[in-house]
Amino acid sequence: RTHNFFTCSKDSTVRFWDGDRFQQILLLNGHASEVCSLAVSRTGAFVLSGGMDRQVRVWERTKDIVFLDEERERELEEVFDKVDGSKRDENTSDVLLRAQKDGDEGLDADDETDEKPQSAAAVKQSILSVSAGDRIMEAVELADEESKEIAAFKKLQEDKSGDNRRAPNPMLFGMDPSQYVLWVLRSVKSVDLEQSLLVLPLKHVERLMHYLILLLRAGKGIELCAKISVFLIKAHQAQIVANRTMMTPLRELQTLVRMRTTEIRDTAGFNIAAMRIIARIANEKKNERINYEEKSMKDIWAGLGKA
């Protein structure tokens, strides 16, 4: 009986640890995105891991001897390679191609193709995207706490029949919970937005969708909220559909996204048509002024020289 255990993390790795010495034994690479689930067999012969890249990997136990010093040296070399920038030239299509080849190792050679995938989704995590995901999670948690405190304060004031005014929370910069979440989402760069959303666990995704619904009801940040809603549903479609409690909010979110985007489209179309009309009227006025000036000059010089 040992005190060894496995862990999975956001850096797409599975690690094997010695609980007695607090040392890392093995570092298992294979997933292309965050690893969010892990299961060890009853006999300890293999380990199953599942990640956000929608892959389930099986790690079998072997009889090979593991030397901790060699594993540490290998890990340090990988860290130095990343710092030196040897992996910066790898684009998204190469990452997707490598992930696809790793997942198709058991297939026949005839089914394998050397063509690069056409998808342009960001699957390579960076420090900025992970930190942005952490900020989004922190913002959702702060908004939940503030919402609970506001509800408790209103209930207490109703029982006492007092004033419902409450001092703004300085942690949220005096903003409402939904407005604070929107402010944090706007602070994330558009390049790192999708990857930072993939870092969120399903619980925070559900709460974030709740605040997106509140923002769409108020008509705030419509374009950003619609973009995030569509991406979250695409990324977590299986989990959201399997959760029955999300069906009602999902229908409301669909209705709000359609309604708000239709309003923006109609407003933009109305403004474009108005600008075209203004431009046409301005051109007509300009032509009339030019014709009037030419006509007036001819009338002035027409009667000269006659007796």
Side-chain angles (χ1 to χ4, degrees):
R1 197 171 184 180
T2 62
H3 296 91
N4 300 339
F5 58 93
F6 289 89
T7 59
C8 56
S9 58
K10 296 179 181 179
D11 58 353
S12 68
T13 60
V14 177
R15 299 173 186 265
F16 185 44
W17 300 87
D18 185 356
D20 296 329
R21 300 180 180 178
F22 301 101
Q23 293 181 352
Q24 177 181 314
I25 301 176
L26 281 176
L27 176 64
L28 305 176
N29 294 308
H31 286 277
S33 184
E34 172 187 352
V35 184
C36 54
S37 60
L38 187 70
V40 184
S41 65
R42 183 178 299 179
T43 59
F46 60 90
V47 178
L48 296 174
S49 62
M52 299 298 294
D53 55 356
R54 299 182 182 180
Q55 293 184 2
V56 177
R57 292 191 169 270
V58 182
W59 309 93
E60 295 183 352
R61 184 178 181 180
T62 62
K63 296 182 179 179
D64 297 337
I65 300 175
V66 178
F67 298 96
L68 297 181
D69 295 336
E70 293 182 359
E71 295 294 330
R72 290 176 183 173
E73 291 179 359
R74 187 181 305 172
E75 186 176 358
L76 289 175
E77 289 178 358
E78 293 178 357
V79 173
F80 291 148
D81 290 339
K82 290 181 180 179
V83 173
D84 293 338
S86 60
K87 295 186 178 181
R88 292 179 183 177
D89 297 335
E90 187 179 19
N91 54 20
T92 304
S93 60
D94 294 333
V95 177
L96 289 170
L97 183 62
R98 188 182 70 250
Q100 184 179 5
K101 286 183 178 180
D102 292 340
D104 297 340
E105 289 178 354
L107 299 177
D108 296 333
D110 297 336
D111 296 334
E112 295 181 355
T113 58
D114 294 334
E115 296 180 357
K116 294 185 177 181
Q118 298 178 355
S119 176
V123 298
K124 191 174 181 180
Q125 290 184 350
S126 63
I127 298 176
L128 295 177
S129 62
V130 174
S131 62
D134 294 336
R135 283 194 287 118
I136 295 174
M137 284 190 287
E138 184 180 0
V140 171
E141 293 173 358
L142 287 175
D144 288 341
E145 294 178 0
E146 182 67 12
S147 300
K148 293 179 181 179
E149 292 180 1
I150 291 174
F153 180 80
K154 288 183 178 180
K155 185 177 180 181
L156 182 62
Q157 293 298 323
E158 288 177 357
D159 295 339
K160 293 183 178 180
S161 299
D163 191 5
N164 291 331
R165 296 180 182 178
R166 180 176 177 272
N169 190 351
M171 295 296 295
L172 274 65
F173 302 103
M175 293 183 285
D176 295 336
S178 57
Q179 292 180 353
Y180 178 72
V181 173
L182 178 61
W183 179 76
V184 173
L185 291 174
R186 284 177 174 172
S187 65
V188 180
K189 294 183 180 179
S190 59
V191 179
D192 301 326
L193 181 60
E194 293 185 355
Q195 193 63 33
S196 62
L197 293 174
L198 290 176
V199 177
L200 302 178
L202 187 60
K203 180 180 178 181
H204 289 76
V205 170
E206 295 177 0
R207 297 304 303 164
L208 180 58
M209 293 179 67
H210 168 71
Y211 290 108
L212 293 176
I213 291 173
L214 295 179
L215 291 170
L216 289 172
R217 286 178 185 173
K220 298 177 181 178
I222 299 173
E223 296 181 4
L224 181 60
C225 293
K227 178 181 178 181
I228 293 174
S229 302
V230 173
F231 179 78
L232 289 177
I233 292 173
K234 285 183 178 180
H236 305 279
Q237 181 179 3
Q239 293 85 352
I240 293 175
V241 173
N243 191 356
R244 295 183 179 179
T245 58
M246 291 293 297
M247 297 306 297
T248 302
L250 195 61
R251 292 192 185 98
E252 184 178 2
L253 184 63
Q254 180 184 7
T255 304
L256 289 172
V257 168
R258 283 185 177 180
M259 182 177 66
R260 296 303 183 186
T261 52
T262 303
E263 291 177 357
I264 291 179
R265 183 191 62 187
D266 296 341
T267 303
F270 181 81
N271 293 335
I272 292 173
M275 293 299 294
R276 288 176 180 173
I277 293 174
I278 293 172
R280 187 178 63 186
I281 294 173
N283 290 329
E284 292 177 356
K285 294 290 184 180
K286 183 178 179 180
N287 294 331
E288 289 180 359
R289 185 180 65 182
I290 293 174
N291 294 332
Y292 175 76
E293 291 178 355
E294 292 177 355
K295 184 178 179 181
S296 62
M297 293 296 289
K298 289 179 180 179
D299 292 338
I300 291 172
W301 298 102
L304 296 177
K306 293 183 179 180

